[in-house]
Amino acid sequence: MTDEHDTAPRRARRGSYSAPRHGRLRRGGHVILPAIAGVVVMIIVLSGGYVAWSYTQLTGSITQIANAIPHSQKSAAAAATGAQNILLIGDDHRPAGATQAELQQLGTQQDGGSTNTDTMIVLHIAPDGQSATMISFPRDSWVTIPGFGKGKLNSAFADGESNGGGAAGGARLLIQTIENISGLSIDHYMRVSLLGFYQIVGTLGPVQVCLNHAVYDHYSGVNLPAGVSTLNASQALAFVRQRHGLPNGDLDREVRQQYFLSQEAKKILSAGTLLNPIKLTKVLDSIGSSIETDMSSSDLIGLGTSLRHLSVSNIRSATIPTSGTPTIYVGGVAVSTVALDTAAIPAFIESIVGPPAAYTNATAAAPSSVQVVAENGSGVPGAALKATSALQALGFKTGAAIDASENTSTTSVEYPAGMEAQAKAVVNVVPGAIPVLSTTVTQVTLLLGSDGHSVQSSAPAAPSTAPSSQAAAPAAPTSSAAAPAATPSASTKAYGQSGTCIN
């Protein structure tokens, strides 16, 4: 993309490239989404009045992994407000004790499975525990894995596990990789096997899904008509495995994960499950041996207390921004990948977790005191120059327009720490722009995306100061049962609502 009239040089956004390693292309076993069971387990264990009781049922069978988190301190958001980020991962490793009959139910065999992580979801829990967002990270994302160079995200765990690192080493490297991608700080993690997914779905009973179109896929075995279908455990397994025959391949499979999980969460949060100790006991007994986590009993009970008011209508789903699914060549071998929209990720994350306290509490500066530069990542030639002229007309001081090094989907206002008031002044004249605290800019920068947001022709009414309801938890806006903590990104979905159908 070029903006032929922009005069300043492009600002680099990507780090240096490392040559990919051929070992990163391996893939074993079926493509399964067992991390769904991780969220389901968490909801069961942490809901209602059964927190201590249900944990007792589970404590004898789950595996606690020490030193799985690469940093000892809680994230700033967790420490200041109670917001938390929990990484849920799923692979098709075979838990100890899995019988041949159980493996046959999965359509697999006792081959050891794979520790490549096919499902990676960060569950962001709002400060008051009343809303949550599941952020999916596509398994084929082509990323830098610390110490190993470029490769698919799904093999970071296996790389960390190798050479004696074990499950803790795998978790640490995957967490570090996801933190580098997203800017989030992971507080806890949970790993669930293929068998855990199958068993929990079987125990909870049939689940309804709704499709816009009939689907048939030989590889996964899914064969469903358009409209509503009621799935047993085997059909559910096929449903969440499908990626062939879907318009966007793995990206549409991310939607399948999010949708299916929302339906299961709705079932679990119903009185029919939570008020039935016998059913809860069966669910917990069936999956305990399939779970690994860093969380202690106090972690689980504390988190359960904070989530006691969570409702399915406030569980939203999203996928980290992507920019395409290119095929690349590694050693002459064609490799299907997912390209991340790295320029859009900071604004995407901020739209979910909310702005920092310093920005929330800042009062917008006068335009005449603000120096701002417009950067064009929209793909529309001349967009940065047009925005620069509009900013000048509103009284802002402007630098030379910049042509971004890559296109992005999201318009944002990036600013360094200490320039919150200046950033807020720019956000006020660019409706839809998301403020992003950045360590890569030295001045307020309006990054224009393909969403079409730009400078409005006249200044809006003076904004009010931060609402008093945010004062108690300034690091992120609080939420109520009726609305998420932060204004939801346009790319987030609430699949738990009745009547929702997907492709």
Side-chain angles (χ1 to χ4, degrees):
M1 186 280 300
T2 59
D3 193 345
E4 66 269 20
H5 300 298
D6 288 357
T7 57
R10 303 180 180 193
R11 174 159 63 90
R13 288 180 170 271
R14 293 187 183 273
S16 58
Y17 179 84
S18 298
R21 293 171 298 105
H22 303 310
R24 304 208 39 73
L25 307 181
R26 65 186 183 277
R27 235 328 260 136
H30 291 294
V31 178
I32 301 297
L33 306 170
I36 290 175
V39 183
V40 171
V41 169
M42 190 169 297
I43 293 170
I44 294 173
V45 175
L46 307 175
S47 296
Y50 293 105
V51 173
W53 172 81
S54 57
Y55 179 76
T56 299
Q57 300 298 308
L58 209 60
T59 188
S61 54
I62 62 173
T63 301
Q64 187 173 355
I65 305 297
N67 303 316
I69 307 299
H71 42 78
S72 59
Q73 296 181 336
K74 288 185 176 181
S75 65
T81 71
Q84 293 199 58
N85 299 311
I86 301 172
L87 175 61
L88 304 161
I89 64 176
D91 55 40
D92 61 352
H93 80 279
R94 312 298 192 252
T99 66
Q100 185 64 36
E102 288 172 330
L103 296 174
Q104 288 176 345
Q105 288 178 320
L106 304 177
T108 184
Q109 56 188 356
Q110 187 67 54
D111 59 2
S114 168
T115 55
N116 280 11
T117 49
D118 294 315
T119 306
M120 290 153 284
I121 299 172
V122 172
L123 180 67
H124 172 76
I125 302 170
D128 62 3
Q130 294 187 24
S131 65
T133 303
M134 296 180 293
I135 307 171
S136 295
F137 290 75
R139 59 182 288 276
D140 289 340
S141 300
W142 193 249
V143 300
T144 298
I145 298 176
F148 290 87
K150 286 284 187 178
K152 289 187 177 183
L153 179 60
N154 74 325
S155 56
F157 188 98
D159 283 336
E161 188 182 46
S162 63
N163 300 321
R172 284 196 302 271
L173 186 59
L174 177 59
I175 288 170
Q176 186 180 357
T177 303
I178 286 180
E179 288 184 335
N180 290 347
I181 293 169
S182 66
L184 292 168
S185 183
I186 303 301
D187 301 297
H188 295 292
Y189 105 104
M190 181 179 286
R191 180 188 181 201
V192 185
S193 73
L194 175 156
L195 186 59
F197 168 84
Y198 183 88
Q199 289 178 329
I200 192 170
V201 174
T203 304
L204 283 171
V207 60
Q208 283 193 340
V209 300
C210 182
L211 294 175
N212 293 319
H213 310 285
V215 294
Y216 172 76
D217 174 37
H218 169 76
Y219 296 97
S220 67
V222 66
N223 185 5
L224 297 172
V228 176
S229 295
T230 301
L231 311 185
N232 59 27
S234 295
Q235 291 171 316
L237 202 62
F239 177 79
V240 297
R241 286 179 60 197
Q242 185 186 8
R243 64 190 177 104
H244 297 281
L246 295 175
N248 298 303
D250 276 341
L251 296 181
D252 279 343
R253 187 172 55 179
E254 299 290 330
V255 174
R256 291 286 178 94
Q257 295 179 46
Q258 297 162 355
Y259 177 84
F260 186 85
L261 177 53
S262 296
Q263 304 311 307
E264 286 289 64
K266 187 191 313 183
K267 176 177 290 188
I268 290 168
L269 291 172
S270 70
T273 300
L274 289 179
L275 299 182
N276 188 335
I278 294 176
K279 191 166 189 176
L280 276 177
T281 299
K282 289 181 178 178
V283 172
L284 295 171
D285 286 346
S286 71
I287 59 176
S289 61
S290 301
I291 299 171
E292 294 179 356
T293 182
D294 72 300
M295 286 186 276
S296 66
S297 58
S298 60
D299 291 327
L300 284 167
I301 293 175
L303 187 58
T305 301
S306 70
L307 289 178
R308 64 187 181 276
H309 298 306
L310 179 66
S311 67
V312 69
S313 62
N314 282 341
I315 301 175
R316 299 188 66 88
S317 302
T319 299
I320 203 78
T322 62
S323 58
T325 54
T327 296
I328 65 174
Y329 289 86
V330 180
V333 177
V335 182
S336 297
T337 67
V338 173
L340 299 183
D341 185 348
T342 56
I345 288 174
F348 165 80
I349 295 298
E350 194 118 324
S351 73
I352 292 173
V353 306
Y359 181 88
T360 300
N361 297 327
T363 299
S368 60
S369 67
V370 178
Q371 177 78 27
V372 57
V373 63
E375 182 173 356
N376 189 10
S378 68
V380 179
L385 276 179
K386 182 178 178 181
T388 298
S389 297
L391 288 167
Q392 290 171 347
L394 293 173
F396 289 89
K397 299 176 182 177
T398 61
I402 297 175
D403 191 12
S405 59
E406 57 184 316
N407 290 348
T408 183
S409 59
T410 305
T411 296
S412 60
V413 175
E414 300 181 351
Y415 63 93
M419 291 190 178
E420 290 77 13
Q422 294 90 330
K424 183 168 282 191
V426 178
V427 170
N428 285 343
V429 301
V430 187
I434 298 172
V436 176
L437 177 64
S438 173
T439 58
T440 64
V441 297
T442 58
Q443 62 182 322
V444 177
T445 302
L446 170 60
L447 175 61
L448 299 166
S450 59
D451 54 17
H453 300 311
S454 192
V455 183
Q456 63 182 22
S457 58
S458 60
S464 60
T465 56
S468 59
S469 61
Q470 295 176 344
T478 59
S479 63
S480 65
T487 301
S489 165
S491 59
T492 63
K493 303 291 184 182
Y495 291 116
Q497 298 174 353
S498 298
T500 302
C501 300
I502 61 171
N503 288 330

